[in-house]
Amino acid sequence: MNTFNVKAYGTTSKDDDLKEMQIERRELTATDIEIEILFCGVCHSDLHTARNDWGGTKYPSVPGHEIVGRITKVGSDVTKFNVGDLAGVGCLVDSCKECESCKQDLEQYCLTGSTGTYNGADKHLQGHTFGGYSEKVVVTEAFCLKIPENLDLKAVAPLLCAGITTWSPLKHWNVKEGSKVAVVGLGGLGHMAIKLAKGLGAEVTLFSRSPDKIQDALDLGADTVVISTYDNEMESVKGKFDLIIDTVPYDHDINPYVATLNISGTLVLVGYIGKMEEALFTPPMILGRRSVAGSVIGGIKETQEMLDFCGEHNILPEIEMINMQDINEAYERMLKSDVRYRFVIDMQSLKN
Ligand code: NAP
Ligand code: ZN
């Protein structure tokens, strides 16, 4: 298969900084589109992958799965997009399209394994996929999203991961007018969870370790903030929530949060992937039909619905623009929970 080179930013080992490199993109197949990347959001998963926190990172690693840009080429069979259109790409670039999950528009749960935008098994070039910290990306049109024209493009990027990852559980657990929703952790995902839950009419509480984020959370639309390290504040919301979305990236004790679920309530983990050291205390679950669940991103159809909802309700993340060359510093700030509330890379800076 013919390829062409593009400039990218990535790392060659878990201990190295990201730096400029060249990667290959495939020449378009009939169903592909080529996107000149204009903006790319910075997700905590980018950092986990670059530093091999989850194991299994293939190097060189080029992260980035919150991609928006303009279409520069389309394959001969492309029907949804034209050259010059805006387009988005999130965390997935392919799946089998045939299994029970794919048939239900749940490509994120593809039974044979969907293809991640980065660190996935590249079906075309063999090797592994490279993400959006790059000049251009080539993606089959079925995995590309349409961007509502009324939204500020640079702020749309984080919707492609932080947005859909919090939207999908809100929809699956049927959050609506009057639902009582809580969010654990005010970062990229957490702040989108607040905005989207409010957009659906819920009453929203934030659990945070950071008292200096209280005013921001209220400005973002939270009705209440509970500082999770203050026992009296935790006690005050016991038995309250229908749904809790937990975005904390590292191992932590979830039992204090389970205690704040209402009867039949659910705590959905979207952040930490791994073994929890603190065992689950089952009485509140058994005696109150409470659940602990998990959820990963969302399907393409659902992602489009979320983007359209954000277009209609003018919902966008709070972003801080950075240049590509600032990415290593941005990761360090992310580790200190010092992001308000999503970094977005201006990809023009990669041309410098
Ligand atoms: P982020 O912007 O860094 O935000 C995480 C927030 O969690 C922080 O702002 C902080 O909020 C809180 N936090 C951080 N470390 C903590 C700790 N040790 N204990 C308790 N709270 C802590 O990260 P993000 O981009 O939102 O991503 C969050 C997690 O979701 C990451 O692990 C990422 O890989 C994962 N993720 C999952 C999916 C999925 O599909 N399931 C998709 C995207 C990302 P406070 O200061 O308010 O406490
Ligand atoms: Zn992500």
Side-chain angles (χ1 to χ4, degrees):
M1 177 161 232
N2 289 333
T3 60
F4 61 99
N5 280 354
V6 297
K7 242 196 240 181
Y9 234 74
T11 179
T12 49
S13 91
K14 73 178 180 57
D15 300 314
D16 282 326
D17 278 351
L18 276 70
K19 58 178 192 300
E20 194 177 310
M21 55 176 61
Q22 295 281 323
I23 55 166
E24 286 186 338
R25 296 295 189 194
R26 64 177 181 269
E27 290 290 354
L28 273 63
T29 69
T31 55
D32 282 337
I33 68 175
E34 178 191 276
I35 302 170
E36 182 194 359
I37 301 174
L38 298 175
F39 302 105
C40 185
V42 179
C43 179
H44 208 112
S45 304
D46 298 357
L47 185 163
H48 287 309
T49 302
R51 300 191 176 177
N52 200 26
D53 287 348
W54 296 326
T57 299
K58 300 177 187 76
Y59 295 97
S61 175
V62 174
H65 58 203
E66 295 183 338
I67 300 169
V68 292
R70 202 166 283 284
I71 298 178
T72 39
K73 278 185 192 169
V74 298
S76 54
D77 293 346
V78 166
T79 56
K80 279 197 324 189
F81 295 95
N82 295 304
V83 170
D85 289 352
L86 296 174
V89 178
C91 306
L92 299 178
V93 290
D94 214 343
S95 73
C96 83
K97 305 176 191 77
E98 286 168 1
C99 72
E100 282 310 308
S101 295
C102 287
K103 279 193 226 153
Q104 295 174 62
D105 297 307
L106 296 169
E107 300 88 355
Q108 74 275 32
Y109 303 116
C110 175
L111 297 176
T112 60
S114 47
T115 308
T117 302
Y118 56 80
N119 208 50
D122 192 321
K123 288 182 188 167
H124 300 269
L125 300 181
Q126 314 319 320
H128 59 278
T129 52
F130 297 115
Y133 298 0
S134 60
E135 290 173 298
K136 286 181 174 176
V137 65
V138 175
V139 180
T140 183
E141 71 162 333
F143 282 75
C144 296
L145 287 309
K146 289 193 183 281
I147 309 291
E149 296 281 341
N150 61 315
L151 294 177
D152 178 12
L153 187 65
K154 55 186 182 300
V156 169
L159 296 177
L160 277 313
C161 175
I164 184 59
T165 300
T166 48
W167 174 259
S168 186
L170 290 170
K171 294 302 283 186
H172 181 75
W173 277 276
N174 196 25
V175 166
K176 52 185 186 301
E177 200 71 38
S179 300
K180 290 189 172 53
V181 172
V183 176
V184 189
L186 190 60
L189 268 55
H191 94 294
M192 281 317 303
I194 292 177
K195 290 192 178 212
L196 292 168
K198 281 309 281 183
L200 290 167
E203 184 189 317
V204 182
T205 297
L206 170 73
F207 287 111
S208 174
R209 305 161 306 165
S210 310
D212 61 326
K213 291 182 183 172
I214 292 175
Q215 191 54 49
D216 283 358
L218 298 173
D219 294 344
L220 290 164
D223 299 283
T224 318
V225 180
V226 170
I227 299 303
S228 51
T229 46
Y230 300 168
D231 291 346
N232 60 331
E233 294 201 12
M234 292 299 284
E235 190 64 30
S236 71
V237 287
K238 222 171 162 187
K240 177 167 176 171
F241 303 110
D242 303 312
L243 183 71
I244 301 177
I245 300 184
D246 183 334
T247 75
V248 172
Y250 300 98
D251 187 16
H252 58 293
D253 182 8
I254 61 171
N255 290 301
Y257 300 107
V258 173
T260 71
L261 286 171
N262 195 356
I263 301 298
S264 305
T266 303
L267 181 150
V268 189
L269 294 161
V270 296
Y272 174 64
I273 297 184
K275 184 170 182 288
M276 293 206 143
E277 290 304 325
E278 200 64 50
L280 255 185
F281 183 61
T282 63
M285 299 167 69
I286 291 173
L287 301 177
R289 199 165 60 185
R290 298 179 177 92
S291 313
V292 173
S295 180
V296 75
I297 50 174
I300 299 302
K301 181 162 174 269
E302 194 174 39
T303 306
Q304 191 63 60
E305 287 164 7
M306 177 273 314
L307 285 168
D308 295 344
F309 181 87
C310 290
E312 280 158 36
H313 297 261
N314 213 13
I315 294 175
L316 283 176
E318 307 300 313
I319 58 167
E320 178 178 337
M321 296 302 298
I322 61 168
N323 288 333
M324 191 68 259
Q325 296 76 8
D326 303 328
I327 190 68
N328 297 301
E329 194 188 317
Y331 281 5
E332 290 311 313
R333 283 184 53 195
M334 189 142 72
L335 281 174
K336 290 188 237 151
S337 301
D338 176 27
V339 190
R340 305 209 172 198
Y341 280 91
R342 196 62 143 183
F343 292 123
V344 173
I345 307 161
D346 180 351
M347 294 308 300
Q348 294 299 318
S349 60
L350 186 55
K351 297 196 191 314
N352 296 337

